[in-house]
Amino acid sequence: MEIYLDNSSTTKVRPEVLEGMIEIYEKDYGNPSSLHSKGLEIEKKINTARMSVAKIINAKANEIYFTGGGTESNNIAIFGHLYNINEKHNIITTKIEHPSVYNIYKHFEEKINVKYVDTDKTGKINLNELEKLVDENTVLVSFILVNNEFGTIQDLNEITKVVKNKNSRTKIHVDAIQAYGKIEIDIRKYPVDTMAFSSHKIHGPKGVGGLYISSDCKINSIIFGGNQENGIRPGTENTPGIVGFGVACDLINEDFNKYTEKFYSLKKLYCDKLTKEIDDIKINSQLDNNGAPHILSVSFKDIKGEILVHYLENVGIYVSTGSACSSKAKNNYRILEAINLDKDYLGGTIRISLGYFNTYDEVEYVIENIKKSVHEIRDIIKL
């Protein structure tokens, strides 16, 4: 038996996506920059995919730029916004950002003032503190919309209001890699300048991402080459990946409510059974609409999350301790420490993240094996 519950790290490609990509490899393999018919045919398919990707967040197709992935989207947007900064400027972000954002701001700390706004014990940004931090020199406010480790959803409406009311010239960048296709986003309702997202988190292929740039916003290019993607992301397009990304978005657009409801239901079921069956655990995720439907973070007292991950792997269950991008960093609890998780639970955290292929039939097997594994690990630690 194989039960994959690490869908926030990456997802299995859906068959319809794979079928769409194979067609590109076999038939429509032309370069979209070519002037002949092979080029024109694949260019049309890219434009169709762009419309599908835009529809997820109600953007205009010409506001979507294809990139090599979510990390690249974050880098292009943030470096693009900060191209002309000087020592008078400042940036505001949080301590619970994904490494693809957090490490950019660590890089900038030597050049300008990087301010970290506090979050509460659920991971929500403190709006009063944010209002105090924004000033006439704030060039950029940047935050993660759905936290990748415990799934808390930020209040996009209130955050953007606070920022723009204090300084209308401040740019806003949103890392929506765990939010895109999982929660409703209507980008037309908010004054967001740039938003990053990724294909492989929604059962699309790896190696392709998306960047929304508002038609009212201009960012500087940081990569130089041809004029692909209007010069924002030059280089020959990953055409099979882009078409696959578009198919994945079409599938979400068809059944968004159905699968969102299923994820919330499965998440609650896992939470209820874990808290009933196992002592000394903490649920770090919000179970209501303040939390993403697909992420459940659970901490077990007196165990190591890495050991539990390997115990479960031996019985065909795949979970993670947190972000795949930082999972190999020893004792990296930056995000859990930021929400003041009790130190007795800090190292014993796993993330169960749900995807299209997960079913209700898997739940009993997973719970039984987590329960058995936690008891065995605790018994060994007591020896």
Side-chain angles (χ1 to χ4, degrees), residues 43-75:
E43 186 181 23
K44 286 179 188 173
K45 294 200 172 186
I46 288 180
N47 290 336
T48 300
R50 202 183 304 279
M51 288 189 279
S52 300
V53 171
K55 189 176 178 182
I56 296 274
I57 58 171
N58 195 26
K60 301 171 190 169
N62 63 6
E63 293 174 317
I64 300 297
Y65 297 79
F66 290 114
T67 70
T71 292
E72 190 175 292
S73 296
N74 277 325
N75 274 265

Side-chain angles (χ1 to χ4, degrees), residues 1-3 305-320 365 369-370 373:
M1 179 178 284
E2 178 176 304
I3 300 176
E306 306 95 283
I307 297 174
L308 179 55
V309 166
H310 293 306
Y311 263 67
L312 295 174
E313 176 188 30
N314 287 334
V315 291
I317 299 168
Y318 299 90
V319 299
S320 68
Y365 179 80
N369 279 287
I370 291 178
S373 300

Side-chain angles (χ1 to χ4, degrees), residues 93-138:
T93 188
T94 78
K95 292 181 178 176
I96 60 168
E97 300 301 307
H98 184 275
S100 69
V101 169
Y102 185 77
N103 288 336
I104 298 174
Y105 295 122
K106 296 302 287 183
H107 165 81
F108 275 103
E109 279 182 352
E110 291 182 2
K111 298 178 181 177
I112 60 172
N113 184 14
V114 180
K115 304 176 184 178
Y116 294 92
V117 61
D118 283 340
T119 50
D120 65 18
K121 63 181 181 180
T122 71
K124 287 269 192 182
I125 287 174
N126 183 324
L127 294 174
N128 291 329
E129 189 189 359
L130 176 63
E131 186 174 22
K132 291 175 186 171
L133 291 178
V134 178
D135 61 30
E136 69 276 12
N137 293 315
T138 303

Side-chain angles (χ1 to χ4, degrees), residues 14 59 65 97 116 131 160 183 190 195 223 282 286 359 369 378:
R14 288 180 63 170
Y65 297 79
E97 300 301 307
Y116 294 92
E131 186 174 22
T160 52
I183 64 170
Y190 314 109
M195 177 177 279
I223 305 172
K282 283 186 182 294
Q286 303 295 294
T359 68
N369 279 287
R378 283 175 174 168

Side-chain angles (χ1 to χ4, degrees), residues 165-233:
N165 284 344
K166 279 295 292 288
N167 185 345
S168 61
R169 291 176 291 108
T170 300
K171 301 298 183 187
I172 297 176
H173 173 68
V174 176
D175 172 2
I177 291 169
Q178 291 294 342
Y180 184 84
K182 305 293 174 52
I183 64 170
E184 283 192 33
I185 303 171
D186 184 346
I187 202 71
R188 305 249 74 82
K189 292 182 178 177
Y190 314 109
V192 169
D193 295 285
T194 52
M195 177 177 279
F197 40 90
S198 178
S199 160
H200 74 106
K201 308 293 190 186
I202 59 164
H203 301 282
K206 296 173 181 62
V208 58
L211 176 62
Y212 160 83
I213 303 177
S214 166
S215 52
D216 298 326
C217 173
K218 302 294 179 193
I219 65 170
N220 289 283
S221 298
I222 63 164
I223 305 172
F224 298 92
N227 197 42
Q228 293 93 344
E229 299 302 297
N230 284 329
I232 293 295
R233 206 285 188 179

